[in-house]
Amino acid sequence: MVEFENPAAFFFLFLLPLLSFLRYVRVFKPLSFLAVLGDWQGDYFEWKGLSFTLLFRLYRLLEVLAFVAIITAYANPIRRHQEKVYISRGADVLFVVDSSPSMAAKDIAGLSRLEAAKRAIMTLANENGGCSLGLVSMAREAVLLVPPTMDRSFFMQRLDSLIVGELGDGTAIGTGLSTAIYHLEDSTASKKAIVLITDGENNAGSINPFTASRLAEEKGIALYVLGLGTSGAVALEYTDPKTGKFYSGYFQSGYDSQSLSKLAAAGGGSFFNVENMDSLKLAFSSINKAAALVQSYRIRSYDTEYYEVCLFAAGVLLLVTWFIKRLLLQEAL
C-alpha cells in the first residue's frame, strides 16, 4: 500500500480552482494592443477547425496533470515492505522426481502425474520459506538439477522446465536416491529429508533401491515416498524430447503401491499412496509438518520511494505541453 510522508502537500491542490477562477476573471490577462486585421483587409483570427480546439483543451489538461504530479512528488509517496530474514538454518529437502515416460499418464484429476507432482511441490515451496529445496530428476539415469537452495525463483524455474523422457525410458530409483543422499550427507542442516515421487518399480540402474533406502536412514536423512498413479488402462500423451515423436493413446499401468511402501519402511520412512489431488495435498501437508523446523528470524523493513517517478512524469507532461503550445498551436509563452 502506498503512503505519503508529507500528505500536507496535497493542500496545494486547492490552488487549482483558485487559479482557474483568476484566469476566468482575466487577472492574469497579459498586456496587449488591439489590432483589427480586418481594417487592413486582412484575415480575422480563427481556430483551424476542431483539431485545434481539442489540442488547446489537451494542453490545458496536461498542465493540470503536471501540477498534480509535482505536488504528489512533494508529498513523497512510498511503499513500505516487510520480509522475514531467517537467522537460523532450516531443513534441507531434496525432491527426487520420476521423469520417465509413464509419468505422462493423465490419471490425477485430468493432469499428468508429473504435472500434478510439480504443482504440489510448488505449493509446499511457497508455504515453507525457511527450507532449502533441491531437485533430482530420475528416469533411466538420475541427475541433480538443483542443489539445496533458498533461491525459490531458480528452484521453481528448473522444476517448471522438468519434462518426461529427457533422461530416457526406465526408473532407476536406487540411483535417484543415491544421488540425493550424496548431496545431503555433508549438509549441516538440523533436518535433512528426501521426497521420492514415482509411479513405478525399480527397473533400471545398478544400485538396489532398498540399499539406498537403508543408507538414507544411516545418514540421518528422513525418507518420504509418494506413489503416484492408478492401475489399469490409463491415457497418456507426450512428445519424446530426443526424437520429437508424439505419443498418444492408452497404456496398461502396472502401478504397485506395495513395493514402494516396503521401500519406505526399509529406510524408516513414510509412504503415501496418491491416486487423486486430495490425497496428494494431504501427503504434502504431512511432509511439510514433519520436515518443518522452527527457525528464528527477524523482520526487515524497507521503503520504496516514488517521488522521482512523479517528477519524471511531470517533466514529460510539461515537455508535451510546451510542444503542443509552441509548435502546434504556436502560442507565445
Side-chain angles (χ1 to χ4, degrees):
M1 182 177 180
V2 176
E3 301 178 5
F4 298 92
E5 288 197 326
N6 185 25
F10 287 111
F11 283 108
F12 285 105
L13 293 177
F14 289 109
L15 292 175
L16 284 174
L18 176 61
L19 292 174
S20 298
F21 174 75
L22 293 176
R23 176 177 287 175
Y24 176 76
V25 297
R26 298 180 178 273
V27 172
F28 299 122
K29 182 180 179 181
L31 180 64
S32 60
F33 299 94
L34 182 62
V36 182
L37 299 179
D39 294 344
W40 303 339
Q41 297 181 349
D43 293 331
Y44 288 95
F45 172 79
E46 293 180 353
W47 285 110
K48 299 178 181 179
L50 180 61
S51 59
F52 270 65
T53 302
L54 293 177
L55 283 173
F56 176 77
R57 292 178 179 177
L58 176 60
Y59 101 74
R60 290 292 193 194
L61 174 61
L62 294 179
E63 281 183 331
V64 173
L65 293 178
F67 180 76
V68 172
I70 292 172
I71 295 302
T72 303
Y74 182 48
N76 195 16
I78 61 173
R79 183 185 294 273
R80 301 193 185 279
H81 307 270
Q82 287 188 336
E83 66 177 7
K84 288 182 179 180
V85 178
Y86 292 94
I87 56 179
S88 64
R89 185 167 182 177
D92 278 1
V93 181
L94 252 177
F95 293 94
V96 180
V97 182
D98 189 348
S99 60
S100 61
S102 61
M103 288 292 284
K106 295 185 175 182
D107 56 354
I108 307 293
L111 299 173
S112 70
R113 296 169 180 176
L114 180 60
E115 187 61 33
K118 287 160 66 173
R119 291 191 182 187
I121 293 173
M122 288 180 181
T123 300
L124 184 142
N126 288 325
E127 292 178 351
N128 206 329
C131 287
S132 295
L133 305 179
L135 179 65
V136 172
S137 178
M138 172 195 70
R140 179 166 293 277
E141 303 173 1
V143 176
L144 178 74
L145 300 180
V146 182
T149 178
M150 292 285 290
D151 188 343
R152 287 293 187 269
S153 60
F154 174 66
F155 176 81
M156 296 288 197
Q157 180 182 4
R158 197 62 188 91
L159 175 65
D160 187 57
S161 65
L162 188 63
I163 58 175
V164 297
E166 61 183 350
L167 294 179
D169 189 4
T171 307
I173 294 178
T175 305
L177 289 177
S178 298
T179 301
I181 293 169
Y182 176 79
H183 288 91
L184 279 179
E185 62 178 338
D186 294 329
S187 169
T188 58
S190 300
K191 281 187 177 181
K192 296 176 284 187
I194 294 173
V195 181
L196 170 65
I197 304 175
T198 182
D199 66 348
E201 297 180 356
N202 184 75
N203 57 18
S206 58
I207 301 176
N208 188 299
F210 286 90
T211 301
S213 177
R214 287 189 287 268
L215 180 61
E217 185 177 27
E218 293 175 7
K219 299 291 185 180
I221 302 172
L223 177 63
Y224 304 96
V225 180
L226 275 69
L228 268 68
T230 57
S231 58
V234 181
L236 179 144
E237 289 184 359
Y238 88 101
T239 301
D240 190 319
K242 295 183 178 179
T243 64
K245 185 177 181 180
F246 178 71
Y247 294 89
S248 178
Y250 289 83
F251 85 105
Q252 196 66 27
S253 174
Y255 169 70
D256 181 14
S257 62
Q258 291 186 357
S259 60
L260 294 176
S261 178
K262 292 178 181 178
L263 177 64
S270 302
F271 171 72
F272 301 91
N273 188 38
V274 176
E275 295 184 350
N276 50 56
M277 286 302 295
D278 288 337
S279 56
L280 182 59
K281 291 178 182 177
L282 182 61
F284 269 90
S285 177
S286 300
I287 293 172
N288 189 28
K289 292 177 181 178
L293 182 67
V294 178
Q295 296 174 258
S296 56
Y297 62 87
R298 62 181 178 85
I299 301 295
R300 183 172 76 91
S301 300
Y302 62 97
D303 298 336
T304 302
E305 297 184 342
Y306 295 100
Y307 74 92
E308 291 183 349
V309 176
C310 296
L311 288 177
F312 177 78
V316 171
L317 291 170
L318 290 174
L319 181 62
V320 174
T321 300
W322 179 88
F323 178 80
I324 294 174
K325 185 175 182 179
R326 296 303 308 276
L327 301 182
L328 298 182
L329 296 179
Q330 297 182 355
E331 288 189 16
L333 289 176

